[in-house]
Amino acid sequence: MFYSGFDALFSILFPLVFLVVLGMILFTVVSNLRRWGKNNASPRLTVPATVVAKRTNVSRHHTDNTMSHTFTTYYATFQVESGDRMELEVDGSDYGMLVEGDTGKLSFQGTRYLGFERKDG
């Protein structure tokens, strides 16, 4: 008697959970493709800017009891002449070279960081 109720519950919940997970994956893929297309359609700009902040986001993914992977995402916040600020994801090597307070020329395309050329002096 108990097993027939469990089977009925499982036959309803499993497809529902599967569809929710599939929907989340599809949403993420579509969002990333949309952002990629929007960035590609945006003009490449180079503007005077100042590095005002830096931060990292560390995420850990466990595959089993003995293995885990750590991923670090690097971000830098730039302030342009108008006073507007934008946070862009940067490579780890660029992150290490940026110092808060640095001024120079920021190159970007949409939300895609292209580079930062520090002003001498």
Side-chain angles (χ1 to χ4, degrees), residues 41-101:
S42 297
R44 291 176 180 244
L45 299 174
T46 301
V47 298
T50 302
V51 179
V52 292
K54 294 170 38 174
R55 73 176 180 94
T56 59
N57 182 28
V58 178
S59 59
R60 291 175 183 81
H61 301 280
H62 298 279
T63 55
D64 58 32
N65 290 338
T66 60
M67 301 248 336
S68 69
H69 301 282
T70 303
F71 300 97
T72 304
T73 309
Y74 301 93
Y75 299 93
T77 303
F78 299 91
Q79 182 170 318
V80 296
E81 288 181 324
S82 67
D84 291 333
R85 291 182 177 199
M86 63 181 76
E87 182 179 66
L88 301 173
E89 185 176 329
V90 300
D91 292 333
S93 58
D94 288 330
Y95 180 87
M97 296 299 290
L98 295 171
V99 177
E100 290 183 21

